[in-house]
Amino acid sequence: MRLEPKLDRQAPTIGPVPAAAKRKQPLVAPAPAVDLPQGFDIRNASPRRLAEASMDFYVAGLLDWEEYAMLAFQPELHPDYDRTIGALTGRRAAPDKGRDCLAEWEERLAFEQKYRGEKDETAMRTLHIVTLFQRLDAPSRMVA
């Protein structure tokens, strides 16, 4: 028996947003008091590693649902990246190549604040992610 694909199917949905994600949480990052992924380095994380770690941050309560979605979406993980965004930017996807995620998100924050304003919700969420990343980076800058 051969199965034919249904052409009238709707796109799959992720499901309802968890109740915890709907409640308004303060946009201040608590100090990380959780076990982070082994060997996670915010100054040298690949897009794939960052997408995986974003779920850990969400489960630990360090990010709310919308911030998790912002962080988990990594365009370089899409199979058509080279034909779309990569073709426009001239940069090939490198989903496993480490990069300074803190610096990239600080640049994104500067852009958001400049063009959206500091009180914009997206800018505030970006600020929360940057604050979390700065706290994750703080132990690496400590001198013994």
Side-chain angles (χ1 to χ4, degrees):
M1 178 174 165
R2 185 174 173 201
L3 297 176
E4 296 294 325
K6 286 187 175 183
L7 298 178
D8 61 328
R9 282 180 55 194
Q10 290 183 339
T13 59
I14 294 175
V17 175
K22 289 182 183 178
R23 89 174 95 93
K24 293 291 181 183
Q25 298 175 357
L27 293 174
V28 177
V34 296
D35 292 327
L36 296 175
Q38 195 69 8
F40 185 76
D41 177 10
I42 198 65
R43 293 284 187 175
N44 191 29
S46 69
R48 188 178 317 276
R49 188 84 165 120
L50 189 58
E52 293 167 357
S54 64
M55 177 56 79
D56 296 328
F57 298 146
Y58 172 71
V59 170
L62 300 174
L63 298 175
D64 68 21
W65 184 257
E66 288 82 9
E67 293 160 349
Y68 158 73
M70 289 172 66
L71 196 56
F73 175 72
Q74 297 294 317
E76 288 185 65
L77 297 177
H78 194 281
D80 289 334
Y81 180 90
D82 289 339
R83 291 187 320 118
T84 55
I85 297 170
L88 294 172
T89 63
R91 201 177 97 201
R92 296 186 55 83
D96 297 309
K97 180 181 177 193
R99 59 193 63 167
D100 188 345
C101 295
L102 175 55
E104 286 183 2
W105 277 85
E106 285 172 337
E107 287 177 20
R108 182 173 176 171
L109 175 62
F111 179 88
E112 297 287 351
Q113 289 178 334
K114 180 177 180 180
Y115 293 104
R116 290 181 176 253
E118 291 183 8
K119 299 296 182 192
D120 178 76
E121 186 174 341
T122 302
M124 291 173 65
R125 291 189 185 287
T126 305
L127 173 62
H128 184 233
I129 292 170
V130 168
T131 302
L132 172 64
F133 285 178
Q134 288 171 338
R135 289 187 177 173
L136 291 172
D137 184 50
S140 68
R141 290 183 282 152
M142 293 178 129
V143 178

